Structure formats: structure tokens, C-alpha cells
Amino acid sequence: MLTEDICKALYALPGGVVKPRRRTAVKPVIITLMGAALLVINSMAVEDSAGDTAMTLITAGVILLGYGIVATIVRLRSTATVPYDEEAKCYMHYRERYYDHELLPAVRRAIAANDTEGLEQLPTSNVSAIIVIEYRTPGGRRTAYALYEYKEFAYRLIDPPVIITR
């Protein structure tokens, strides 16, 4: 998995500022409750003569309820972890960007200089010749980059992960 190297580097930071944590099940539970609420609203407030409204509420309610139940069960049974920044009290956001191989020097310069705007301005590609994996706190206080290239049917880490703390 491509995130393994960058996650190990984040977890090795001094003071244990970034720790692995399971994802919370709050959002799937809220989606489940929204689906149940739509079904309750349909049964209590919608008259029988409002066929399209009733069918819309039933369809949306069943979809949200079903998705919420499945997502909640998956989250509760999963052992997968994601980086959690203890100082910022938040999960770090994950993002992948794809670039052509010709842009490797420019991507390396932007990562070394922590130039997020410069990285954003580089033209991205649909082909994953070069992949930049980024974990970032919502406020941008801590950012981690890992740079991979696709060679011989596998992704290789080009440089060690870079972690920038502001």
C-alpha cells in the first residue's frame, strides 16, 4: 500500500504527535438516523394522495438507512487506521496527485520548498507516472508528502517522505 511509508514516518515523529487511530463511526450513524427520520416523516406527515413525495421520501430513506447501516458495521469491524494529529485534535486529510514523468524535477522542488500553491499549479495527469501522496491537517499546520514513480509494474518510493510542521 502506498500510504505505508508516509504513515510510518508520521507515527515516528518525536513526542507521538501523530498516532494511528480507527476512523470514527459517527458519520455513518448520522446517515442511518437521517434515513430513519425520512421514513418516519413519510409515515407520519405525508398524505396518501402525495404519491411522488411519498415515493421520494421512501426511496431516499431506504437508501440512506441501508448505506448507513452497512457503513457503520464496516467502520466498527475494521482494523484499518489513519493518521490522527494529537496537537490539532483532528484526522489528517489524504490526497493523491498524478503527474507526468517530465515534471519530476518541478514536483521535487515544490515539495522541498513546501510550495503547495506551486504543486497545485503544475498540470496534473490521468496517468500515474509520478504520484504525490499528501497527508495534511485541516489548518495546514502539519503536512507530509511522499513521492512515488511507476516503474516495472510497481510503485517505487523516490525520496523519503517529507514532513513539514509550521
Side-chain angles (χ1 to χ4, degrees):
M1 191 170 193
L2 292 180
T3 60
E4 188 174 313
D5 296 317
I6 193 169
C7 287
K8 282 181 182 177
L10 283 167
Y11 301 150
L13 286 174
V17 292
V18 178
K19 294 184 179 174
R21 252 198 202 178
R22 285 180 39 196
R23 287 187 128 160
T24 180
V26 171
K27 288 180 184 177
V29 168
I30 289 173
I31 291 172
T32 303
L33 293 175
M34 287 172 39
L38 287 177
L39 293 175
V40 168
I41 289 170
N42 178 55
S43 68
M44 296 177 79
V46 177
E47 297 178 17
D48 291 336
S49 62
D52 289 343
T53 305
M55 285 308 297
T56 302
L57 286 173
I58 289 172
T59 303
V62 168
I63 289 171
L64 288 175
L65 185 68
Y67 172 79
I69 289 172
V70 170
T72 301
I73 290 170
V74 168
R75 287 266 176 103
L76 291 176
R77 296 188 56 89
S78 174
T79 59
T81 59
V82 292
Y84 182 82
D85 193 317
E86 293 286 338
E87 290 178 352
K89 302 286 186 224
C90 63
Y91 289 96
M92 297 183 78
H93 295 272
Y94 174 82
R95 183 173 178 192
E96 284 183 8
R97 295 184 192 136
Y98 304 106
Y99 298 100
D100 288 325
H101 200 274
E102 296 81 35
L103 294 174
L104 180 59
V107 170
R108 277 183 159 163
R109 279 193 304 273
I111 288 174
N114 192 22
D115 185 12
T116 306
E117 291 78 25
L119 207 54
E120 292 281 342
Q121 291 174 355
L122 290 174
T124 58
S125 173
N126 292 334
V127 179
S128 58
I130 301 293
I131 298 178
V132 175
I133 295 181
E134 173 187 354
Y135 272 108
R136 170 185 295 271
T137 56
R141 185 170 189 276
R142 190 176 328 278
T143 307
Y145 296 104
L147 186 60
Y148 291 87
E149 74 176 326
Y150 189 74
K151 278 242 171 138
E152 300 172 2
F153 305 111
Y155 290 103
R156 284 188 345 185
L157 185 66
I158 297 175
D159 296 326
V162 176
I163 300 171
I164 300 156
T165 304
R166 294 182 196 174

